[in-house]
Amino acid sequence: MSIVTPAPTCWYDLGFLRVYVLHSDGQSVSTPPWLSDPDADDALYVAVHGQGHGSVAAFQGRQEPCPSAGDIEFCDPQRSEFRLCSHPCAVTILRLPRRSLGVAESDLRGIHGVRLACAEGAHALVVRFLPALVSEAGRRRTRIGDRLARSAVDLLAVLVTEWALEQRAEVTDERAQTLARIRDFIELHLTDPDLSPDSIASAHHISVRYLHKLFQSEGITVSQWVRQRRLEACQAELGSASQHLTVAAVARRWGFASHSHFSRAFRAAYGVPPSKWQRAGRRPTAVRT
């Protein structure tokens, strides 16, 4: 949205923390402070929305639900747009040096544009703490103000850290689910001699590079996993009532195109040739790694 006829803006200093109070009359909004800040890239702007009575907000040329009182938003100084409710409201914005949070820069970049709904925990502490912070900023009592500023920064650092940990947990869970699906797929296609990293990745609409990355976290390559599962299947079949099948037939059945390659791999894994294992009718054991 374009900024028109800015409404009054109040701002206060609390040491390295600056507090802005932006007002909207439902038609215009105070100019976001980062538009006139030459050091915006080195600062973090955090907006805490006040009580807005409108149900719709204009943002980046679209309509969306108006932020609720207490919603916290990490603003991106690269964008001039700002949410404007259809009724009068106020927004408090905190400006602080990015490095003061002691949080990874990747996490700060990731949280740009994220709005956190009012909730319990550190978020609720920030929302309850803000009125005292603004009140103290208005009185400009330096010693107390510096302490309040430090407390505010610590709470915001907790918010960013909690958010980043939640994002990583979601990514980890998604990777675990993807890996489980891939392993199930491998089990169903062990007998296919064309089973390969390329075919597995294609079937799951992921890149081969990402496929290797998923298995790397398990300490094994995807090709090693396929070979291990095939060897275990061959071992079980050779040691069961399959004496009528030749070793070569069992190897082909489980996707080994080369009998000599299978024999070498089997001996490396179990310490004996597959023919000897078959004659002894042994029970399955784990593959040696």
Side-chain angles (χ1 to χ4, degrees), residues 112-124:
H112 271 165
V114 172
R115 192 204 309 178
L116 304 177
C118 188
E120 299 178 352
H123 185 165

Side-chain angles (χ1 to χ4, degrees), residues 98-108 153 156-158 160-161 164:
R98 300 172 73 87
R99 60 182 176 275
S100 66
L101 273 79
V103 174
E105 180 62 28
S106 58
D107 291 338
L108 293 179
V153 170
L156 289 171
V158 170
V160 176
T161 302

Side-chain angles (χ1 to χ4, degrees), residues 97-236:
R98 300 172 73 87
R99 60 182 176 275
S100 66
L101 273 79
V103 174
E105 180 62 28
S106 58
D107 291 338
L108 293 179
R109 288 195 301 269
I111 205 170
H112 271 165
V114 172
R115 192 204 309 178
L116 304 177
C118 188
E120 299 178 352
H123 185 165
L125 286 175
V126 173
V127 173
R128 289 197 296 266
F129 179 77
L130 193 62
L133 183 71
V134 174
S135 175
E136 190 56 45
R139 289 198 290 269
R140 300 175 186 273
R141 292 171 57 183
T142 305
R143 183 177 297 178
I144 295 177
D146 286 346
R147 292 197 174 198
L148 287 172
R150 186 69 258 169
S151 297
V153 170
D154 288 342
L155 286 172
L156 289 171
V158 170
L159 269 186
V160 176
T161 302
E162 282 186 346
W163 176 86
L165 289 174
E166 289 173 358
Q167 300 306 303
R168 293 189 187 103
E170 290 179 3
V171 170
T172 300
D173 184 58
E174 181 180 347
R175 285 181 178 177
Q177 293 179 17
T178 301
L179 187 58
R181 289 195 297 270
I182 290 173
R183 283 180 167 173
D184 288 342
F185 177 86
I186 290 173
E187 290 298 314
L188 291 173
H189 295 82
L190 278 178
T191 58
D192 182 358
D194 294 326
L195 184 67
S196 67
D198 285 337
S199 65
I200 296 169
S202 177
H204 292 84
H205 308 290
I206 60 176
S207 67
V208 175
R209 181 179 179 182
Y210 183 63
L211 175 66
H212 287 309
K213 188 175 181 180
L214 287 172
F215 276 84
Q216 185 179 11
S217 65
E218 301 294 304
I220 192 171
T221 68
V222 61
S223 296
Q224 288 171 339
W225 176 258
V226 171
R227 183 174 65 250
Q228 177 178 312
R229 293 298 300 125
R230 281 175 167 167
L231 285 172
E232 289 170 351
C234 289
Q235 178 204 39

Side-chain angles (χ1 to χ4, degrees), residues 55-101:
S55 59
V56 175
F59 184 60
Q60 297 180 16
R62 66 177 186 271
Q63 299 292 308
E64 62 176 41
C66 189
S68 301
D71 282 1
I72 294 179
E73 184 174 356
F74 290 80
C75 306
D76 186 349
Q78 298 299 320
R79 295 186 173 183
S80 60
E81 300 93 342
F82 198 73
R83 288 178 173 84
L84 173 61
C85 287
S86 56
H87 285 72
C89 62
V91 181
T92 300
I93 296 182
L94 309 180
R95 181 214 189 273
L96 59 149
R98 300 172 73 87
R99 60 182 176 275
S100 66
L101 273 79

